[in-house]
Amino acid sequence: MSESAQPANPVTFPPAFLWGAATSAYQIEGAVREGGRTPSIWDTFSHTPGRTAGGEHGDIAVDHYHRYREDVALMAELGLSAYRFSISWSRVQPTGRGPAVQVGLDFYRRLVDELLERGIKPAVTLYHWDLPQELEDAGGWPERDTALRFAEYAQIVGEALGDRVEQWITLNEPWCSAFLGYGSGVHAPGRTDPEASLRAAHHLNLAHGLGTSALRSVMPARNSVALSLNSSVVRPLSPQDPADLAAVRKIDDLANGVFHGPTLHGAYPESLFTATEPITDWSYVLDGDLQAINQPLDALGLNYYTPALVSATDADASGPRADGHGASDHSPWPGADDVAFHQTPGERTEMGWTIDPTGLHELIMRYTREAPGLPLYITENGAAYDDKPDPDGRVHDPERIAYLEKHLAAVRRAITDGADVRGYYLWSLMDNFEWAYGYEKRFGAVYVDYATLTRTPKSSALWYGQAARTGSLPSLPTD
């Protein structure tokens, strides 16, 4: 496929806007037993029968650990200006305690150097769900000590890479870590305890605050420290129904307020305490915790895929939840058994998620109001489709191009409306291990043949690369 032509009136972005792609360690690296790395909760979870589609795991994933130079060269060829990746905690600090293993840090040093040599700005995420298994065995995120261990780990990585990496993200989507990992059990470690999920949320917040302080204690002042939230855009089924509006508030507290409340404002929503009172007394929030969490941020990362549509329902209502977060008999929404989720109308991706770029615009503008003056980055946005090579080996994915065009246009509208959005990280650079879905769902702009690990840029990678090089959105392809 040839590159798309420029439209007569292109949608252009600010000159300094970062055009990036994102990945995470367990999803791409492989090499799970090399260089002293010890198991994470995702190693354990994915090797537990029945936890992942087809029993698939990340032992090899897409072998980025050995192929990182090839992958960085591909990013440069596409014209990306930034790359967001995560550090495997148990690769650099096996078991989550004690001194760093230099061979583990050396991998990330080499990766960063390769990116800088190619003119690509590295953005480091310290935690993308892969807690060292030994910390989980000691209680995991529901225990305060895990937050203290995270601060030590943050300092180790900050000391090693802070001279060359300017963009830092403490946690990716702590909602998933807390509520899918400890509530519904569809993510590692697979626990199903509502109180544990709320305890985990608080200690993830504390880890962010302590980790931010630890990073700043060892890095140059120029470096930026952020947090990436998968904040939900929650809408009522019936906008005029007070019960549905109350349902929105309850889910908004559990999806958003539980994290941005203490992080941005130094307090949890009182309505969150009220809704979860039958589950927990929140006595694990100790004096000084909120001050520790409420560190000034240099930026905020927003991950967006689809909005949520909710209504009030009977507390004893049964049946599957249409919340898009996997199938489980246990809810990831503690204290919200009286809320029903509904499928939003419209075209869907392979994940079953409705395509609605208005939600991305709404999310950006919300945080523009929520935290005025705070720079924003879209740290994840993308779509899974059933991509297959044609007889010539090319991979055409016009649906993904249309998805990206609509969502990037929504970002540009938000900038026009006064939002300070400074970059966009496509999820994902390449097809990879998609957590409990195994290798079934392909989010990548680059196609990976899992038998040979050959990388092939899809049509969307070429389209997005042209956007990155020109700073404007190309026309949609006609072939």
Side-chain angles (χ1 to χ4, degrees), residues 230-475:
N230 57 318
S231 295
S232 292
V233 174
V234 189
R235 295 167 174 168
L237 183 65
S238 301
Q240 308 307 318
D241 186 339
D244 285 5
L245 294 175
V248 167
R249 177 58 186 267
K250 184 171 287 189
I251 298 304
D252 187 74
D253 283 346
L254 286 165
N256 304 323
V258 67
F259 296 110
H260 76 224
T263 302
L264 299 179
H265 309 304
Y268 286 103
E270 286 297 325
S271 49
L272 173 68
F273 291 153
T274 301
T276 58
E277 187 175 8
I279 299 169
T280 181
D281 61 5
W282 291 85
S283 58
Y284 40 84
V285 181
L286 303 185
D287 289 346
D289 281 5
L290 292 171
Q291 292 87 338
I293 294 167
N294 186 216
Q295 299 297 315
L297 288 172
D298 299 304
L300 181 65
L302 299 176
N303 297 356
Y304 173 82
Y305 293 95
T306 192
L309 186 66
V310 303
S311 70
T313 188
D314 294 334
D316 60 354
S318 61
R321 291 180 315 280
D323 64 0
H325 294 297
S328 173
D329 292 333
H330 303 271
S331 173
W333 305 101
D337 291 340
D338 56 349
V339 175
F341 286 80
H342 303 269
Q343 287 278 9
T344 50
E347 185 182 356
R348 304 185 188 285
T349 70
E350 278 292 304
M351 295 294 289
W353 297 343
T354 304
I355 300 167
D356 188 346
T358 67
L360 179 55
H361 179 272
E362 183 178 331
L363 185 67
I364 294 169
M365 298 315 297
R366 173 183 182 166
Y367 280 96
T368 296
R369 296 187 300 270
E370 193 88 32
L374 185 64
L376 304 175
Y377 290 86
I378 307 308
T379 40
E380 283 187 29
N381 177 238
Y385 289 104
D386 186 19
D387 305 313
K388 292 181 174 66
D390 67 15
D392 297 325
R394 298 176 300 179
V395 183
H396 294 296
D397 57 342
E399 301 92 347
R400 184 174 287 105
I401 295 175
Y403 180 101
L404 294 176
E405 191 274 338
K406 292 174 184 175
H407 286 79
L408 282 162
V411 174
R412 187 63 184 91
R413 284 197 301 275
I415 293 172
T416 299
D417 291 342
D420 184 10
V421 186
R422 299 190 181 182
Y424 176 96
Y425 291 86
L426 165 67
W427 185 270
S428 175
L429 173 66
M430 53 190 165
D431 296 333
N432 54 49
F433 177 74
E434 186 50 41
W435 307 113
Y437 294 98
Y439 294 93
E440 286 184 353
K441 308 298 184 184
R442 292 181 178 269
F443 276 89
V446 174
Y447 182 86
V448 178
D449 181 328
Y450 293 126
T452 65
L453 298 178
T454 301
R455 279 86 155 127
T456 302
K458 304 174 188 178
S459 304
S460 61
L462 304 178
W463 183 92
Y464 185 66
Q466 186 177 352
R469 290 191 298 275
T470 63
S472 60
L473 301 186
S475 295

Side-chain angles (χ1 to χ4, degrees), residues 35-78:
R37 182 187 180 277
T38 56
S40 75
I41 55 175
W42 270 98
D43 294 277
T44 303
F45 186 86
S46 62
H47 281 275
T48 301
R51 290 297 200 179
T52 65
E56 292 169 335
H57 49 71
D59 285 10
I60 297 174
V62 296
D63 199 31
H64 175 73
Y65 185 84
H66 297 111
R67 298 168 181 255
Y68 71 92
R69 288 189 176 91
E70 172 190 349
D71 293 336
V72 173
L74 186 54
M75 293 179 227
E77 182 181 339
L78 291 173

